[in-house]
Amino acid sequence: MKKLTIFTIIATLASTSAIAQFVDNGGFKGPSEKSPTTVIEAKKMKDETYVLMQGKIEKKIKNDKYTFTDKTGSMTVEIDNDVWKGTVVTPNDNTEITGEIDKDLWNSSGTEVDVKTIKIVK
């Protein structure tokens, strides 16, 4: 009987920790509270690095691709429809985007930002 109880306790603890590995308990995922990344800096960063950037969305290139510009240059950003969340942005608006660097391994000029959030800043 003691062996069965001990086995049950061990099995329960093992399964609980195994399940906990697959459960997202939340928390902060995103850039730190440092100053915004510039376009020049973003182009040098590693793939999948989170960034916070401030600038303007100048124009739509195609589908979900846009030209983002700051004082150091411009680059392509990808903004999926669900990211806009009703926000209307014009080329005159200062925006703040957070996202993830997306490097095209086959094209050295293919660094983009996959935008996760966007907001207008004053």
Side-chain angles (χ1 to χ4, degrees), residues 2 8 48 75 87 89 94 107 109:
K2 287 183 180 180
T8 303
E48 299 183 5
M75 69 186 306
T87 304
V89 176
N94 290 314
N107 181 358
S109 64

Side-chain angles (χ1 to χ4, degrees), residues 35-76:
S35 58
T37 302
T38 65
V39 168
I40 287 177
E41 294 168 335
K43 288 181 177 181
K44 296 176 186 175
M45 292 180 155
K46 293 180 181 179
D47 193 36
E48 299 183 5
T49 302
Y50 264 84
V51 293
L52 177 143
M53 301 175 75
Q54 291 182 347
K56 297 183 180 204
I57 298 173
E58 296 289 329
K59 65 180 175 181
K60 183 174 186 168
I61 301 170
K62 63 178 181 179
N63 299 332
D64 55 1
K65 306 281 186 174
Y66 300 84
T67 301
F68 177 85
T69 304
D70 69 8
K71 63 185 178 224
T72 66
S74 63
M75 69 186 306
T76 301

